[in-house]
């Protein structure tokens, strides 16, 4: 079982030919509401990639919260530990352009009410083969979940987004960190991915830096270094690519795949996701990933 201690949002997505500049108004061609949030996205990605998944987090007592819960449940995610708190659910305003690029504003809502894991959450984490973490919850809560994982001997996989400098207290409890190149630079102060990878490995045992169309870099303190090329596809919407990669990577690692095979599995899953619109709606099923891997 994989547990996800993370955020759940409703994505409010506008599709435009070109994203507006500051002070500019443009006409969009479509609008959709799609359940998302980095935590929920990673949970759905992992469930569709073949894992049993339990979600730990919070939604509001509004209509968005009910829809988010239903979407997770339909995807096969256990929502027994998804709390409902008074007030609005988290939302994300997303603009997607015709090149598949995106810009995102997150308003935490109920996610801001999540505190360090309670006894029930800790029991779920302890029973997991891995726990997925992100930074859309309060930092103290994320740190508490990472420490709970470390105490239970469970690998903690952190996506450091939204990007920010990270305290040693958190990174000391992380097994694997999975930033994109911009997040890696924010965490380490190193702009070159190779230099950022080495800096990350001074603080965590393993690191993967995703590089978009340039693939991904992997390193471990054991000395292993890998570069996995990206799968070439025509991107429609890259919104959930990183979350799909992280969720699929957690599944591959929990199944005991070597690093190179696990990275290939995650890369194929992410490539399938960017060929579809939306976040939670874009994640591929295990059969699709296996077919693409051949």
């Amino acid at each position: 079982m994989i547990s996800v201690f993370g955020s759940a949002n409703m994505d409010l997505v506008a599709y435009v030919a070109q994203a507006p500049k500051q002070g500019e108004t443009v006409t969009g061609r479509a609008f959709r509401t799609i359940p998302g949030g980095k935590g929920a996205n990673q949970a759905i990605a992992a469930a569709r990639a073949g894992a049993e998944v339990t979600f730990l987090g919070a939604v509001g007592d509004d209509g968005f919260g009910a829809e988010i819960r239903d979407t997770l449940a339909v995807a096969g995610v256990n929502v027994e530990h998804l709390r409902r708190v008074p007030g609005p659910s988290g939302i994300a305003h997303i603009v997607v352009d015709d090149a598949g690029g995106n810009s995102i504003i997150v308003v935490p809502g109920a996610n801001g009410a999540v505190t360090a894991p309670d006894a029930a959450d800790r029991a779920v984490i302890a029973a997991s083969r891995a726990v997925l973490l992100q930074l859309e919850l309060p930092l103290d809560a994320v740190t508490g979940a990472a420490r709970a994982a470390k105490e239970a001997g469970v690998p903690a996989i952190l996506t450091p987004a939204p990007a920010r400098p990270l305290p040693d207290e958190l990174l000391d409890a992380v097994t694997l960190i999975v930033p994109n190149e911009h997040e890696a630079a924010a965490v380490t102060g190193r702009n070159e991915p190779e230099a950022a990878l080495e800096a990350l490995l001074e603080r965590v045992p393993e690191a993967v830096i995703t590089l978009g169309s340039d693939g991904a870099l992997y390193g471990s303190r054991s000395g292993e270094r890998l570069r996995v090329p990206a799968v070439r596809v025509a991107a429609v919407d890259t919104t959930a690519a990183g979350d799909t990669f992280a969720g699929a990577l957690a599944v591959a690692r929990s199944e005991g795949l070597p690093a190179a095979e696990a990275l290939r599995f995650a890369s194929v899953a992410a490539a399938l996701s960017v060929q579809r619109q939306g976040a939670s709606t874009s994640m591929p099923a295990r059969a699709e990933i296996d077919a693409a891997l051949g």
Side-chain angles (χ1 to χ4, degrees):
M1 185 261 287
I2 291 172
S3 57
V4 180
F5 187 86
S7 59
N9 297 325
M10 182 60 73
D11 293 345
L12 312 177
V13 190
Y15 297 91
V16 298
Q18 186 171 344
K21 302 179 180 66
Q22 185 173 359
E24 181 183 17
T25 299
V26 301
T27 299
R29 56 178 170 77
F31 173 80
R32 300 176 69 190
T33 58
I34 307 169
K38 297 194 74 62
N41 288 344
Q42 292 184 9
I44 291 172
R48 290 189 176 159
E52 177 186 347
V53 180
T54 296
F55 189 82
L56 308 171
V59 293
D61 57 3
D62 54 3
F64 285 164
E67 188 173 348
I68 292 166
R69 178 183 292 273
D70 289 346
T71 298
L72 285 164
V74 168
V77 177
N78 182 340
V79 293
E80 178 183 352
H81 297 269
L82 176 60
R83 299 172 180 82
R84 189 175 74 164
V85 300
S89 298
I91 59 171
H93 290 261
I94 303 175
V95 176
V96 180
D97 64 29
D98 281 352
N102 64 76
S103 57
I104 304 173
I105 300 172
V106 175
V107 182
N111 297 302
V114 177
T115 58
D118 62 17
D121 294 335
R122 294 173 72 91
V124 171
I125 290 170
S128 303
R129 301 189 71 176
V131 58
L132 283 162
L133 307 169
Q134 319 79 34
L135 298 179
E136 289 182 341
L137 298 181
L139 188 60
D140 286 348
V142 178
T143 301
R147 291 177 62 121
K150 183 175 183 179
E151 290 167 6
V154 174
I157 302 173
L158 173 67
T159 301
R164 57 178 295 176
L166 297 177
D168 290 338
E169 184 182 11
L170 171 57
L171 290 182
D172 286 347
V174 168
T175 306
L176 168 65
I177 192 167
V178 190
N180 62 28
E181 57 187 310
H182 306 295
E183 294 154 1
V187 172
T188 65
R190 309 286 181 87
N191 291 322
E192 292 297 324
E194 290 80 3
L197 181 70
E198 299 306 319
L200 288 171
L201 292 174
E202 294 176 2
R203 305 183 72 188
V204 296
E206 295 180 83
V208 176
I209 301 178
T210 59
L211 304 172
S213 60
D214 290 328
L217 289 175
Y218 168 81
S220 72
R221 286 179 177 169
S222 67
E224 187 174 11
R225 300 291 185 273
L226 296 170
R227 179 183 283 269
V228 176
V231 180
R232 300 296 177 181
V233 297
V236 172
D237 183 353
T238 62
T239 302
D243 293 331
T244 303
F245 184 97
L249 182 63
V251 173
R253 285 176 59 92
S254 72
E255 293 179 359
L257 292 182
E261 293 181 33
L263 290 166
R264 177 66 176 168
F265 183 91
S267 296
V268 166
L272 290 168
S273 77
V274 302
Q275 297 176 70
R276 305 164 182 166
Q277 290 184 342
S280 61
T281 53
S282 72
M283 283 98 173
R286 179 60 175 261
E288 296 176 278
I289 300 171
D290 288 343
L293 285 167

